[in-house]
Amino acid sequence: MKKNSKYYLLLLLPGLLIMVGTVFLPIIRTFIFSLQKFNLAEPNDRKFIGLKNYKDVILADDFRLALTNSLMVVVLVTIIALIASMFVALLLNKQTKITPALTAIAIIPWALPPLVNGMMWKFIFYPGYGFLNKILIRLALIDSPISFTNNIILLMLALSMAVAWRVVPFCSIVLLANMQNIPYTFYEAARIDGSSKIQEFIYITMPFLKPSLKIVLVNILMNAINIFDEVIAMVGYRLDSQTLLVNNYLHTFNYLDFGYGSAITYVIMIISGILGYAYIKQMGVE
């Protein structure tokens, strides 16, 4: 038995070394950088400054703007993605001849790289005669093109729709898998008692979906708070449209301030953890 245990540990060793080298070591080094004045533009002026980087991050106007934009995206993506995921899951839960084909089509947005996804939505929301503007003009709903990307509220809505489009496939598949494990006898008993479809959804489907809703909400939250590619694809590095990761990228790799950028990384991690915990507790998921 001991020989087998040593053999199993030996097999796990390569994976453990990869995890240590690519996950744990960078996390530790990033934290060390965040406590230092470390700018590659001034390599000889590297020193320990404690929590000063964290204080500077919290007080910085550009970080507050990025945080506001990110929180706006989080709220919008959560609302859009959760409703859309539930709708798609309910649609795919209906057993028809085309259900397998619809399931395959629903997964396509998930397979697209985020940058490609952002380029596609840039074409849709292009401020000139983009796809959406053309449709609205042909339907006589507007007289001139709307500058979606020049208005910060409309831009955050567009970015949220782009992120939601990407996360809905995974979320809907998770919900669908949970739905298909709900015993059908519960629905039969409810129908005998004269319940409506809405009552069945509220009192049978939703309680059974609580475990999968935890996974779905965390997935939506992580994708929303870490939005980067879609922002770059749609508007680039514009100051007023910066999100947390864009702000972090600019300070770390454009301004080469690794100490300040590392502090932003840890602040983002803390915010992500707090928001994730809050969403889960709000849903009452244990």
Side-chain angles (χ1 to χ4, degrees):
M1 190 69 179
K2 290 183 178 178
K3 290 183 178 180
N4 287 337
S5 298
K6 291 180 180 178
Y7 178 68
Y8 297 147
L9 289 173
L10 186 63
L11 292 176
L12 290 172
L13 187 59
L16 182 61
L17 290 175
I18 292 173
M19 286 291 292
V20 170
T22 61
V23 178
F24 297 114
L25 185 59
I27 288 174
I28 295 171
R29 286 183 63 85
T30 300
F31 180 69
I32 294 172
F33 290 160
S34 72
L35 301 176
Q36 297 176 339
K37 180 182 179 182
F38 180 23
N39 193 315
L40 290 183
E42 302 172 347
N44 297 323
D45 191 23
R46 181 175 174 179
K47 59 184 178 181
F48 178 81
I49 57 174
L51 299 176
K52 184 178 183 303
N53 281 326
Y54 290 93
K55 179 182 177 181
D56 292 342
V57 167
I58 294 172
L59 296 178
D61 292 335
D62 61 339
F63 178 80
R64 293 184 199 176
L65 176 61
L67 178 60
T68 301
N69 290 340
S70 291
L71 291 178
M72 196 183 307
V73 169
V74 166
V75 172
L76 292 172
V77 170
T78 301
I79 295 171
I80 297 170
L82 197 57
I83 295 174
S85 299
M86 190 67 70
F87 175 78
V88 172
L90 289 170
L91 182 64
L92 296 178
N93 197 37
K94 301 291 183 182
Q95 296 301 321
T96 64
K97 292 182 179 180
I98 62 171
T99 298
L102 290 176
T103 304
I105 293 171
I107 296 174
I108 292 176
W110 187 29
L112 289 175
L115 188 62
V116 175
N117 184 49
M119 294 298 294
M120 181 184 71
W121 284 90
K122 179 181 180 180
F123 168 75
I124 294 173
F125 287 102
Y126 194 75
Y129 287 91
F131 183 72
L132 183 57
N133 272 324
K134 284 185 177 180
I135 291 177
L136 294 176
I137 290 173
R138 289 192 177 185
L139 292 175
L141 296 176
I142 58 175
D143 297 323
S144 58
I146 300 174
S147 298
F148 293 103
T149 58
N150 293 332
N151 181 292
I152 193 63
I153 302 297
L154 293 178
L155 174 58
M156 292 301 111
L157 179 60
L159 290 171
S160 302
M161 292 179 69
V163 176
W165 170 263
R166 175 161 53 87
V167 301
V168 161
F170 173 80
C171 296
S172 59
I173 294 300
V174 171
L175 293 174
L176 175 63
N178 198 163
M179 285 179 186
Q180 293 181 342
N181 285 323
I182 300 175
Y184 189 70
T185 52
F186 288 113
Y187 294 103
E188 290 180 335
R191 286 166 191 167
I192 290 173
D193 291 336
S195 65
S196 64
K197 292 288 185 181
I198 297 176
Q199 289 174 323
E200 289 177 10
F201 177 76
I202 295 174
Y203 296 108
I204 299 177
T205 305
M206 284 302 296
F208 275 99
L209 289 182
K210 281 187 176 182
S212 57
L213 279 173
K214 177 180 178 179
I215 300 172
V216 167
L217 284 172
V218 170
N219 180 66
I220 292 172
L221 174 64
M222 291 301 103
N223 279 277
I225 201 73
N226 292 315
I227 179 175
F228 179 82
D229 298 82
E230 284 86 357
V231 179
I232 303 304
M234 293 180 72
V235 292
Y237 298 99
R238 225 171 66 190
L239 178 61
D240 64 332
S241 63
Q242 282 186 21
T243 56
L244 288 174
L245 281 193
V246 175
N247 182 260
N248 187 13
Y249 179 86
L250 287 174
H251 282 283
T252 306
F253 298 106
N254 279 25
Y255 310 148
L256 302 179
D257 196 341
F258 275 65
Y260 187 88
S262 297
I264 297 176
T265 300
Y266 265 83
V267 172
I268 294 172
M269 183 182 69
I270 293 169
I271 292 172
S272 299
I274 293 172
L275 288 177
Y277 179 79
Y279 273 116
I280 293 169
K281 290 297 290 183
Q282 185 180 4
M283 290 300 299
V285 181
E286 301 295 338

